[in-house]
Amino acid sequence: QAKFLLGSGYRIGIDEGIDILARVYCNAHEVINPDGSDTDMGFGLYPEGCLFNHSCNPNCTWFMNNDGDLCVRAMRKIGADSTLTIAYCDIYDHADQRN
């Protein structure tokens, strides 16, 4: 028997739930273990991180600091009118795997 944690005024329909999950999936950043291992700790939603566009030749890179904050660093000089970009995937993977 299902129990609801929220009253009926807070419930959403299936279509809205799918829309929310799709937005989370598309905007989440992988949280990498700060000990340097390849073990992923999960995903985080960082509103500022969602503003970066993707490039296979990005001018910025992102990482998590020890406090779990999303940090972005320029990898080269970037012009004032240039778009800041990050890689949404592993840019060292073969193109077929990235698409």
Side-chain angles (χ1 to χ4, degrees):
Q1 179 175 353
K3 300 213 180 219
F4 295 99
L5 298 176
L6 298 173
S8 61
Y10 295 102
R11 296 184 196 146
I12 59 174
I14 292 174
D15 289 340
E16 188 176 2
I18 290 171
D19 182 60
I20 291 169
L21 289 174
R23 289 172 191 251
V24 168
Y25 179 78
C26 290
N27 290 292
H29 285 76
E30 182 180 29
V31 178
I32 300 168
N33 200 326
D35 68 6
S37 69
D38 287 339
T39 305
D40 299 335
M41 297 181 63
F43 292 91
L45 290 175
Y46 300 90
E48 295 87 0
C50 299
L51 300 175
F52 290 89
N53 289 324
H54 167 75
S55 173
C56 288
N57 184 21
N59 54 23
C60 296
T61 187
W62 64 271
F63 60 95
M64 301 291 167
N65 68 14
N66 289 336
D67 294 327
D69 299 321
L70 179 71
C71 301
V72 177
R73 181 171 290 154
M75 298 192 310
R76 58 182 174 268
K77 290 188 179 200
I78 303 170
D81 294 333
S82 297
T83 300
L84 300 177
T85 59
I86 60 174
Y88 290 177
C89 57
D90 188 344
I91 59 175
Y92 299 108
D93 281 347
H94 191 273
D96 291 342
Q97 294 174 313
R98 292 190 315 237
N99 292 328

